[in-house]
Amino acid sequence: MARIALDHIAHSYLPEPKGSADYALKRIHYEWEDGGAYALLGPSGCGKTTLLNIISGLLTPSEGQVHYDGRDVTGLPPEQRNIAQVFQFPVLYDTMTVFDNLAFPLRNRKIAEPDVKKRVLEVAEILELSEVLKKRAANLSADAKQKISLGRGLVRSDVAAILFDEPLTVIDPHLKWQLRRKLKEIHEQLRLTLIYVTHDQVEAMTFAEKVVVMYEGEILQIGTPEELFDHPQHTFVGYFIGSPGMNFLPCTVAEGGAQVAGGRIALDPATFSLAQNATGELQVGIRPMYLELHDTAVANGLQASVSLVEDQGNCKIVTVQLNGTTLRARLPEEKPAPGERVWLVFPPQHTKLFADGRLLQEQPS
Amino acid sequence: MGLTLEKLDKIVGQEVHLKDIDLHFEPGSRNVILGRTLAGKTSLLRILAGLDRPTRGRLLINGEDYTGVTVRKRSVAMVYQQFINYPSMTVYRNIASPLLLAKLDTAEIDRKVRQAAEMLHIEHLLDRLPAELSGGQQQRTAIARALVKDAQLLLLDEPLVNLDYKLREELRIELQAIFERRESIVVYTTTEPAEALMLGGNIVVMDEGRVLQTGATPDVYHHPGTLKVAEVFSDPPINYLQGAVSGGRASFGEGIQIPLSGHLADLTDGDYMFGLRCNHLFLARRNPDDIELSARVTLSEINGSETFIHIVHGQDGLVVQDEGIHPVKIGSALSVFVNPSRLFVYNGGGELVASPVQGRY
Amino acid sequence: MDKWENNRAWFLVLPVFFIVAFSAIIPLMTVVNYSVQDIFGPGQRVFVGTEWFEEVLGDKRLHDALWRQFLFSGLVLLIEIPLGVVIALLMPKKGWGASASLVILALPLLIPWNVIGTIWIIFTRPDIGLLGAAINTMGIAFDHTASPIQAWITLMFMEVWHWTPLVALLAYAGLQAIPEAYYQAAKIDGASAWSTFKYIQLPKMRGVLTIAVLLRFMDSFLIYAEPFVLTGGGPGNTTTFLSIYLVKIAVGQFDLGPAAAFSLIYFLIVLLFSWLFYQALQNVGKGDVK
């Protein structure tokens, strides 16, 4: 196990990058704690796989250093970093049995055969593969194959971190949650450093203690699933996490609140005072589940028209038009569908303000 | 009028792909076929398209027998799971291809292609090749090609399943609006209850090659006729606890007893299955008559805007949907609450005997 | 109303059916016909049953040619398959080097077979041939027309030079199809180059190597033009392979009956061995270990 530090990493696939647009990774400076479960989350092309490859050693970054427990490993290949990796598609030694697959990394490291056997049996037990140890790996289902790929990392007692590159892509939907649970259990049990790359928010937020949201080569926010949902630091995080994503309205600061096209939205005092000193383009943001709809005029209510009500069974998604801006609200199942005309209320504690895409918040002193 | 399937079977070798299918689709209707993988959704679509011939039964279009007529002679457009486009043609040519085959004049083709491209927001990509597009844009191109044809029958076979969830979200909303404006019969297959509900219209719930239930989508959702339908039409699948009714009281789960009232009042004595949808389970008491279930957490999953907590109550695994995103520790003990008015009740044969009254809580 | 006009598709198969019938089945039936009759001239034929087959199966020279043929095909497979794989492993994976090596490899495959023999005759001539003269200058007496061993060595060199590129190209295609992740996983697992070859590259090349073995076996077992041009089956009969001997019987002696019987036996041997190889290679590394 190890603490992994990324020291001012930047990477470009071009030999002579010019502008920042040429960089696949812009400037990453972060330390991964020992024993943490992390997810790298972002849409395709955001740089998450590049970052994973830099951590694993498949890529050497154009700038910056990678440290494992303080040791500079920037130039070292994967095999000298003691990491294990699970790939998008199961990578197995087809001609070997499950047992031999799991034993392979140990035998390559010249571990004595009795120790190999003991360790393989232990790991097979954890992964529920004991029954199939004598079977040929090539004949198993995709989820068992991915467990074997993971097992080849788990058998090694020296492993610094296990990296996952969208490992559930080829798994049937109803088996996905079983594997997610297995991964979680393994993390609780073994406290290994796990880094998991995915574009799927369910996988990321279920798996990880800390989710790293990436967009266009930058880390936008690192936080617990709860923090990403309730306190997105960036409009992209607000949009990408949650379904539907956060609502945003362009606004200006007015007396006691934010002035939007359809009226005035009250802000809590702290946000309001930050807003007065803010520069750049301002936007109000609110999660659909916090946006209140009222059938009659209420204090601080903004009048809007309902354009669509989607019954999703366990909730209703209501699309409203507020003076040309489209907003979505999420109603619990028991609430009846609203009429054509509604009054919107933005509860101040859930109403966020963003300047040039970034959340306005008090700087930690 | 419309499209009718009569007593249709499809048997390949020893395997039954479809059995006793009787369906009717009205012109201009939106129809969702909901079922898990291998439920027979794709087999049914292929027969609707004329790509396969049923082993038994008839397919009528506006009353005329079309059973043996090939796809070329029918007015059908289809969108697949995979993003299928002509790789060497530009997006424009891809969309135009059915019109070029129909030998329309150039101005007409141009107008229709641009209209379809605009509808799917790919008008700025018309000169690109499919390989230069993202997955979402490729599928938009394939959908535009299907729409431009103005076919009587528009078939979509899990068109969004291979897209990122954010793209899926956007396209679902757009498709809904697009379908609304069309006069053709739309048939859309999906494995996801949420998608089915969103598209609305009528639903056909399938399992193992058979039709389980049909009707207006929200009606079927709120009154799933069998336990199997409730399972397929809830995501995660509906929770159920075995129980019994005797002497005016229902008992189920770990020693839970409640008096019969409301929609449960008419239950006769006997064994039942009690179904609970995961969004009707709460982590806090909301009404005085709520039932309390003590349980242990096995996993919490976070899905978009809600947390799914997998718990064990006695021997039974249940899933609770909690609004918002909250950390829950695996292995910890907790209590969940459900109101008796939210219970679905199934008899020993798995048939619905009582379902919650809508809009009342 | 049209019912399954798709049935018309069967008409598309008809041309192929006729071509196969005329090119394979009818000639084969003719051969069968010849193999059971003694033909003296037009209209004069006698049914002789299995007489030709008995004669052919008892022919000592045919036995010799058959063993020679097995030895030859065996050596071809033993040398060309491993050599081809090694060449494929050494070839650059991408860039201009990959294209260049592909072109160079493909060159011997583009030369007509009889020209190959001619090239090697000249190349190995002890008096003026570049190779032959060079070896003789080094003090080794070399003349493949006089020494059976040297004839075989020359023949093997020619064969390997001519056909190993095919094996290498097939193996190369197989290697290119292995996803990068497999190599990364092997590195991470600490696998040596040999283990990587044994557990990843070789199993993943099984399909193409099966094809390579089949093609090389059939071709080498049926070889005619190159040795005929190079050695004419000599010195003595030491390089007379089955096809050369068959031609001698059929064209040299005009014994059509025995030649036909011989051809059928020849055909069955090739079929049998191809099937055996195919089965063996398909089953390598499959099924569970008990």
Side-chain angles (χ1 to χ4, degrees), chain A residues 33-349:
Chain A
E33 277 164 41
D34 193 4
Y38 295 92
L40 293 177
L41 175 67
S44 34
C46 72
K48 56 191 192 294
T49 303
T50 306
L51 185 57
L52 190 79
N53 288 343
I54 286 172
I55 295 171
S56 71
L58 291 168
L59 263 183
T60 305
S62 325
E63 292 162 31
Q65 276 117 41
V66 183
H67 296 276
Y68 279 35
D69 278 336
R71 184 171 66 110
D72 185 355
V73 296
T74 317
L76 294 184
E79 59 270 30
Q80 289 175 37
R81 293 189 183 193
N82 284 334
I83 52 103
Q85 187 158 356
V86 180
F87 297 88
Q88 201 165 6
F89 299 95
V91 174
L92 296 175
Y93 304 103
D94 289 345
T95 53
M96 294 188 201
T97 61
V98 174
F99 185 96
D100 290 339
N101 260 283
L102 294 175
F104 192 63
L106 299 179
R107 287 177 178 158
N108 285 330
R109 288 173 176 79
K110 311 268 178 275
I111 310 263
E113 198 58 24
D115 295 338
V116 170
K117 189 166 183 206
K118 185 166 158 281
R119 190 73 191 139
V120 168
L121 292 180
E122 269 172 31
V123 167
E125 189 66 42
I126 296 175
L127 293 171
E128 294 162 17
L129 289 170
S130 308
E131 302 289 307
V132 295
L133 278 176
K134 287 205 167 64
K135 285 216 165 128
R136 229 174 247 291
N139 300 347
L140 299 178
S141 61
D143 59 311
K145 285 183 179 175
Q146 279 303 50
K147 284 205 267 185
I148 298 169
S149 313
L150 171 61
R152 286 208 312 273
L154 294 181
V155 288
R156 289 162 49 194
S157 50
D158 61 342
V159 78
I162 302 182
L163 313 181
F164 300 85
D165 190 1
E166 313 213 357
L168 300 184
T169 309
V170 295
I171 309 294
D172 272 2
H174 67 283
L175 292 173
K176 276 187 180 170
W177 80 265
Q178 289 180 16
L179 271 188
R180 284 200 289 261
R181 177 166 69 178
K182 198 79 237 171
L183 271 179
K184 229 170 153 136
E185 269 173 31
I186 287 167
H187 182 248
E188 304 261 316
Q189 218 173 324
L190 306 176
R191 297 314 297 183
L192 290 165
T193 308
L194 305 178
I195 302 175
Y196 190 112
V197 162
T198 179
H199 63 255
D200 184 328
Q201 61 162 341
V202 181
E203 277 176 35
M205 295 176 60
T206 301
F207 166 80
E209 295 163 339
K210 285 239 171 111
V211 179
V212 179
V213 183
M214 294 188 65
Y215 185 61
E216 292 187 340
E218 280 181 273
I219 292 179
L220 292 184
Q221 186 171 0
I222 301 173
T224 62
E226 213 180 351
E227 285 166 358
L228 297 182
F229 188 76
D230 282 331
H231 306 285
Q233 302 287 305
H234 194 279
T235 48
F236 179 79
V237 179
Y239 154 80
F240 200 69
I241 305 282
S243 53
M246 206 168 199
N247 295 304
F248 295 103
L249 303 114
C251 72
T252 52
V253 179
E255 203 175 316
Q259 183 69 38
V260 297
R264 184 168 303 170
I265 295 168
L267 296 172
D268 68 48
T271 309
F272 181 69
S273 67
L274 283 169
Q276 284 175 314
N277 304 322
T279 53
E281 267 178 54
L282 291 180
Q283 277 173 294
V284 167
I286 187 164
R287 291 264 173 218
M289 69 177 286
Y290 296 133
L291 185 60
E292 288 175 15
L293 300 185
H294 295 269
D295 283 336
T296 49
V298 287
N300 295 326
L302 306 185
Q303 196 183 340
S305 62
V306 173
S307 57
L308 183 67
V309 179
E310 301 157 49
D311 186 350
Q312 295 206 346
N314 54 17
C315 66
K316 290 185 189 73
I317 306 292
V318 181
T319 307
V320 297
Q321 304 296 330
L322 175 67
N323 222 313
T325 312
T326 302
L327 300 176
R328 297 209 154 75
R330 191 184 152 105
L331 296 185
E333 186 193 356
E334 66 266 23
K335 284 258 180 78
E340 270 178 37
R341 203 137 284 288
V342 288
W343 281 263
L344 305 177
V345 172
F346 293 69
Q349 71 274 27

Side-chain angles (χ1 to χ4, degrees), chain B residues 105-342:
Chain B
D105 70 83
T106 327
E108 179 74 358
I109 291 177
D110 192 68
R111 192 182 62 77
K112 289 196 165 197
V113 168
R114 289 186 191 283
Q115 193 189 352
E118 212 167 292
M119 218 186 289
L120 285 147
H121 308 295
I122 47 172
E123 62 269 31
H124 57 293
L125 303 170
L126 287 173
D127 298 329
R128 302 255 195 108
L129 290 172
E132 297 165 344
L133 304 180
S134 70
Q137 291 164 341
Q138 288 182 40
Q139 193 64 328
R140 282 169 190 270
T141 306
I143 294 171
R145 194 176 59 231
L147 290 179
V148 83
K149 217 174 147 184
D150 266 329
Q152 283 174 14
L153 186 58
L154 175 60
L155 305 172
L156 302 104
D157 191 8
E158 300 186 43
L160 307 183
V161 74
N162 286 327
L163 296 174
D164 286 7
Y165 83 97
K166 270 287 157 189
L167 287 170
R168 222 179 294 168
E169 224 173 80
E170 284 166 16
L171 260 174
R172 257 183 211 164
I173 295 169
E174 289 171 27
L175 282 180
Q176 208 177 339
I178 290 169
F179 294 158
E180 212 135 274
R181 292 203 291 266
R182 294 185 77 79
E183 283 159 27
S184 51
I185 301 174
V186 178
V187 182
Y188 187 110
T189 70
T190 180
T191 53
E192 289 185 41
E195 199 162 284
L197 282 161
M198 204 157 188
L199 292 164
N202 297 313
I203 196 163
V204 177
V205 183
M206 291 188 69
D207 192 54
E208 294 181 348
R210 288 169 189 272
V211 171
L212 298 183
Q213 194 174 354
T214 57
T217 307
D219 285 354
V220 175
Y221 178 80
H222 291 299
H223 306 285
T226 61
L227 209 47
K228 192 78 213 176
V229 174
E231 240 173 76
V232 174
F233 207 164
S234 308
D235 184 35
I238 196 165
N239 301 303
Y240 49 82
L241 294 170
Q242 211 140 16
V245 168
S246 75
R249 294 182 74 79
S251 57
F252 52 89
E254 288 291 284
I256 293 163
Q257 289 231 344
I258 53 160
L260 296 180
S261 64
H263 71 298
L264 305 175
D266 298 333
L267 290 179
T268 52
D269 287 6
D271 289 339
Y272 293 98
M273 292 290 253
F274 293 86
L276 317 125
R277 279 216 161 102
C278 64
N279 58 311
H280 295 146
L281 289 165
F282 295 93
L283 295 181
R285 184 178 289 279
R286 295 152 54 99
N287 299 295
D289 61 339
D290 280 358
I291 307 163
E292 181 173 352
L293 303 163
S294 55
R296 202 165 37 75
V297 178
T298 58
L299 177 71
S300 74
E301 277 193 290
I302 296 163
N303 181 7
S305 305
E306 62 266 320
T307 308
F308 290 113
I309 307 166
H310 296 248
I311 57 169
V312 182
H313 166 72
Q315 297 298 314
D316 298 300
L318 304 175
V319 184
V320 181
Q321 178 185 331
D322 187 22
E323 287 295 307
I325 291 185
H326 308 291
V328 187
K329 189 138 179 53
I330 291 182
S332 60
L334 50 69
S335 283
V336 296
F337 299 88
V338 63
N339 195 276
S341 67
R342 297 292 100 189

